[in-house]
Short mmCIF file of all heavy atoms in Angstrom, two decimals:
data_model
loop_
_atom_site.label_atom_id
_atom_site.label_comp_id
_atom_site.label_asym_id
_atom_site.label_seq_id
_atom_site.Cartn_x
_atom_site.Cartn_y
_atom_site.Cartn_z
N LYS B 46 2.11 -9.15 16.79
CA LYS B 46 0.70 -9.25 17.19
C LYS B 46 -0.19 -8.39 16.30
O LYS B 46 -1.19 -8.87 15.76
CB LYS B 46 0.52 -8.78 18.65
CG LYS B 46 1.43 -9.46 19.63
CD LYS B 46 1.18 -8.96 21.04
CE LYS B 46 1.54 -7.51 21.27
NZ LYS B 46 2.96 -7.21 21.26
N SER B 47 0.18 -7.12 16.14
CA SER B 47 -0.67 -6.23 15.34
C SER B 47 -0.73 -6.71 13.90
O SER B 47 -1.77 -6.62 13.25
CB SER B 47 -0.12 -4.80 15.39
OG SER B 47 -0.08 -4.34 16.70
N THR B 48 0.40 -7.18 13.40
CA THR B 48 0.42 -7.69 12.03
C THR B 48 -0.54 -8.86 11.89
O THR B 48 -1.30 -8.94 10.92
CB THR B 48 1.84 -8.14 11.67
OG1 THR B 48 2.76 -7.12 12.04
CG2 THR B 48 1.96 -8.45 10.20
N GLN B 90 -4.60 -0.33 17.80
CA GLN B 90 -3.80 0.23 18.88
C GLN B 90 -3.98 1.76 18.84
O GLN B 90 -4.00 2.35 17.77
CB GLN B 90 -2.34 -0.11 18.57
CG GLN B 90 -1.50 -0.40 19.75
CD GLN B 90 -0.21 -1.13 19.35
OE1 GLN B 90 -0.05 -1.58 18.22
NE2 GLN B 90 0.69 -1.24 20.29
N ASP B 168 -6.68 -4.45 19.86
CA ASP B 168 -5.21 -4.40 19.87
C ASP B 168 -4.77 -3.46 20.98
O ASP B 168 -4.92 -2.25 20.88
CB ASP B 168 -4.71 -3.92 18.51
CG ASP B 168 -3.23 -4.19 18.33
OD1 ASP B 168 -2.58 -4.61 19.31
OD2 ASP B 168 -2.72 -3.99 17.21
N GLU B 169 -4.24 -4.03 22.03
CA GLU B 169 -3.73 -3.27 23.18
C GLU B 169 -4.71 -2.18 23.64
O GLU B 169 -4.36 -1.01 23.63
CB GLU B 169 -2.40 -2.61 22.83
CG GLU B 169 -1.42 -3.57 22.24
CD GLU B 169 -0.17 -3.73 23.09
OE1 GLU B 169 -0.12 -3.14 24.19
OE2 GLU B 169 0.71 -4.46 22.65
N VAL B 200 -5.43 -8.40 22.49
CA VAL B 200 -3.98 -8.34 22.28
C VAL B 200 -3.36 -7.53 23.40
O VAL B 200 -3.90 -6.49 23.78
CB VAL B 200 -3.65 -7.68 20.93
CG1 VAL B 200 -2.15 -7.59 20.73
CG2 VAL B 200 -4.30 -8.44 19.80
MG1 LIG C 2 1.02 -3.75 18.05
#
Side-chain angles (χ1 to χ4, degrees):
Chain B
K46 308 181 293 290
S47 301
T48 312
Q90 215 163 349
D168 195 352
E169 309 242 5
V200 178

